[in-house]
Amino acid sequence: MSIYETLVEIIDLRSFSNLWYWIGLAVIWSSASHWVLGVPYDLVLRARRHGGQHYQDLQDLVRINVNRILGIVEISGMWLVGFVSFMLTGLTLLSFWYDVEFAQALFFIAFPMTFVGMMSYTTARQIRRDAPEGEALFALLSRHRFFVQLIGMLALLVTAMFGMYQNLTLGPFQDL
């Protein structure tokens, strides 16, 4: 076995068999479930337990981030929808029509994150409309986090299944 074959076997640069892709995917979903509408979830738990200044900080951060999210959508919402649709369509074509593995890897990150983005917008609108306080705010943020985690688990499952399928069908020396 030559040194090149050994290196290719040890360091596989394809997306679904690359450890760095899976580490990055785990970090993305971990961050998405920790930052609920831009508010760290540990602050939500601290505000629920201790109240006082922690609760005031939570309310301020929620207000700031809700205004930021809704401001972005009000100013450039249609452009954002068009751009995201264009990018997802391009990724879908590259992924499944042209069979580009890197595009497939990006698609399995971007597609479920669009649902998280839409959910964040919906939750921000609900917070502005209802102005929940206390337990109602905690419940809303916790529910949002639960559904982000649910989307993340489903996305990780589908990505892992597709990645395993890719690795089994292509094999380690397909490109040689």
Side-chain angles (χ1 to χ4, degrees):
M1 191 181 249
S2 73
I3 193 142
Y4 176 74
E5 290 173 343
T6 305
L7 284 176
V8 167
E9 188 173 329
I10 293 172
I11 306 170
D12 193 1
L13 298 177
R14 292 180 299 138
S15 298
F16 293 113
S17 58
N18 192 334
L19 178 64
W20 290 109
Y21 173 74
W22 296 103
I23 291 171
L25 191 65
V27 167
I28 286 169
W29 284 108
S30 173
S31 297
S33 69
H34 178 69
W35 293 90
V36 180
L37 295 179
V39 177
Y41 195 71
D42 62 306
L43 180 62
V44 175
L45 295 176
R46 205 174 316 125
R48 179 179 271 170
R49 283 189 206 120
H50 304 294
Q53 185 60 43
H54 298 292
Y55 179 70
Q56 187 61 43
D57 292 344
L58 174 70
Q59 277 189 319
D60 292 341
L61 268 177
V62 167
R63 179 184 47 80
I64 289 167
N65 286 317
V66 162
N67 289 337
R68 183 181 57 86
I69 291 169
L70 294 178
I72 290 170
V73 171
E74 288 169 3
I75 292 171
S76 59
M78 293 305 287
W79 285 101
L80 192 60
V81 167
F83 180 73
V84 169
S85 299
F86 172 76
M87 293 304 291
L88 282 177
T89 302
L91 277 176
T92 304
L93 286 173
L94 284 172
S95 298
F96 303 110
W97 184 263
Y98 293 107
D99 205 30
V100 177
E101 186 173 344
F102 183 70
Q104 291 168 348
L106 289 178
F107 176 82
F108 283 112
I109 294 172
F111 183 68
M113 287 304 277
T114 57
F115 291 105
V116 172
M118 289 186 297
M119 216 171 62
S120 296
Y121 169 68
T122 304
T123 304
R125 271 189 27 213
Q126 184 177 357
I127 288 174
R128 181 179 278 175
R129 183 188 65 227
D130 298 342
E133 292 187 9
E135 280 302 317
L137 180 61
F138 299 143
L140 190 61
L141 293 174
S142 296
R143 188 177 74 224
H144 178 81
R145 181 176 191 240
F146 171 76
F147 283 113
V148 169
Q149 289 176 331
L150 186 66
I151 291 170
M153 287 189 308
L154 289 173
L156 285 171
L157 176 70
V158 170
T159 304
M161 298 303 277
F162 187 83
M164 289 301 280
Y165 172 76
Q166 285 291 96
N167 289 336
L168 290 174
T169 58
L170 290 180
F173 297 108
Q174 181 73 17
D175 296 331
L176 297 179

